Amino acid sequence: MTGLRWGILATGGIAHAFASDLRTAGLDLVAVGSRSQASADAFAAEFGIEAAHASYEALVTDPGVDIVYVSTPHPMHHATARLALENGKHVLVEKPFTLNRAEAADLQRIAAERGLLVMEAMWTRYLPHMVRIREIIADGTLGEIRAVTADHTQLLPSDPAHRLNALELGGGALLDLGIYPVSFVWDVLGAPETVTASGRLGETGADTEVATIMTHAGGALSTTLSSSRAAGATSASIVGTEARIEIDRVWYAPTTFRVIAPDGEVRESYASEVDGRGMQFQALAAERLVRDGILEGDVLPIAESVAIMGTLDEIRAQIGVRYPSEERTDG
């Protein structure tokens, strides 16, 4: 353990989940920052946090904080993570890492210049069942991987005023839900060589459904589906010439999976045993990297997070989604 002192920036639902898992893991959560003192105080009281700051600036300049977890709405990820890096803090940024590739690359550059860790909080990659799946793939158990498929489909609020449907807040199924299967495909097959996407837009112009077909090295294929208006299987599979892996609902959270031979024989069954939601594993990984003086993540390198944002940019371009902040940037 490095003894890193954690600060949480913003106090929404995902921040509560992360704080709970930090406490579960016994990590050192020392500060929280919000845009109001009342919100910061309430969060601090809930989790037994000593320092409650009434601004993000106060949090990132707190000398008692070593690493900041950014959990603001998507459009604020870049600015708040940048603020933390500029004040000498390591940063774990909630997924999606930023709104687009340009913002992601900027954070990568600043972190490198300052000698700091910046890491995307794609917590799924650090879960024990995903660690085991990568071991199985590396062992060659599946043979040649021919196809990967994953969906993330939920029935979420359709209210146009809801954050999920507000373009100015980065709303849409892709960034909230689709980031999971797209990142999963990258994890298993690497960078796509071609991307083909189709989508459906809702009343506000935000995407409600997005499907992709991508090709990868060696001709492997991947398919993903995300939806914010209908709940599907939310499962995933990796299909190889020697065996396949079937990951059960909800595949991106602690769950079960099986390795199945072509004749149907179950060669391995795995069941997750995780305390809490499982967000602590990414925090433990961040602490390990800082302890070892490694500022480029191994499970999810920052360069890969930047490239994944580029894939999401391409998907959005094909389905016709742009965010207001991008229009302003273009002048």
Side-chain angles (χ1 to χ4, degrees), residues 163-189:
R163 176 193 66 79
L164 187 72
N165 305 305
L167 278 178
E168 65 274 16
L169 295 178
L174 182 65
L175 291 196
D176 263 86
L177 308 177
I179 177 62
Y180 283 95
V182 170
S183 184
F184 174 70
V185 164
W186 266 81
D187 193 12
V188 177
L189 294 177

Side-chain angles (χ1 to χ4, degrees), residues 151-156 164 173-174 177-178 207-210 225-232:
D151 81 285
H152 190 176
T153 49
Q154 297 191 38
L155 180 59
L156 299 176
L164 187 72
L174 182 65
L177 308 177
D207 50 288
T208 57
E209 279 84 25
V210 181
L225 172 66
S226 56
S227 174
S228 60
R229 298 294 175 89

Side-chain angles (χ1 to χ4, degrees), residues 95-289:
K95 43 108 259 319
F97 189 54
T98 52
L99 272 187
N100 53 45
R101 190 186 190 284
E103 290 183 351
D106 184 58
L107 294 182
Q108 178 187 24
R109 176 186 60 81
I110 295 169
E113 290 175 352
R114 302 297 178 98
L116 295 166
L117 176 72
V118 62
M119 194 170 101
E120 181 182 8
M122 177 45 74
W123 60 296
T124 299
R125 292 218 184 180
Y126 302 90
L127 292 174
H129 77 282
M130 287 304 304
V131 173
R132 178 58 188 144
I133 285 171
R134 283 193 293 270
E135 290 173 349
I136 292 167
I137 292 171
D139 287 344
T141 301
L142 304 186
E144 178 193 355
I145 297 177
R146 305 284 294 184
V148 174
T149 184
D151 81 285
H152 190 176
T153 49
Q154 297 191 38
L155 180 59
L156 299 176
S158 59
D159 179 0
H162 191 278
R163 176 193 66 79
L164 187 72
N165 305 305
L167 278 178
E168 65 274 16
L169 295 178
L174 182 65
L175 291 196
D176 263 86
L177 308 177
I179 177 62
Y180 283 95
V182 170
S183 184
F184 174 70
V185 164
W186 266 81
D187 193 12
V188 177
L189 294 177
E193 295 179 348
T194 66
V195 177
T196 302
S198 294
R200 177 186 294 181
L201 307 186
E203 303 85 349
T204 64
D207 50 288
T208 57
E209 279 84 25
V210 181
T212 70
I213 300 175
M214 295 185 274
T215 62
H216 302 261
L221 294 174
S222 69
T223 61
T224 75
L225 172 66
S226 56
S227 174
S228 60
R229 298 294 175 89
T234 311
S235 59
S237 64
I238 305 169
V239 181
T241 54
E242 301 299 324
R244 70 184 186 273
I245 294 175
E246 293 183 353
I247 314 175
D248 298 317
R249 178 180 179 88
V250 173
W251 68 265
Y252 61 84
T255 189
T256 55
F257 72 79
R258 291 161 306 288
V259 180
I260 304 173
D263 63 3
E265 176 195 359
V266 177
R267 293 181 177 172
E268 177 177 338
S269 294
Y270 183 97
S272 295
E273 295 181 3
V274 171
D275 292 329
R277 191 181 186 206
M279 299 184 76
Q280 65 269 33
F281 295 104
Q282 61 187 347
L284 290 165
E287 294 221 355
R288 172 179 57 81
L289 290 168

Side-chain angles (χ1 to χ4, degrees), residues 278-321:
M279 299 184 76
Q280 65 269 33
F281 295 104
Q282 61 187 347
L284 290 165
E287 294 221 355
R288 172 179 57 81
L289 290 168
V290 173
R291 178 198 67 205
D292 295 343
I294 301 171
L295 302 179
E296 175 71 34
D298 44 7
V299 173
L300 180 54
I302 185 58
E304 187 170 333
S305 290
V306 172
I308 289 171
M309 290 311 306
T311 297
L312 298 183
D313 288 352
E314 174 60 24
I315 293 168
R316 287 196 297 115
Q318 291 189 28
I319 66 174
V321 172

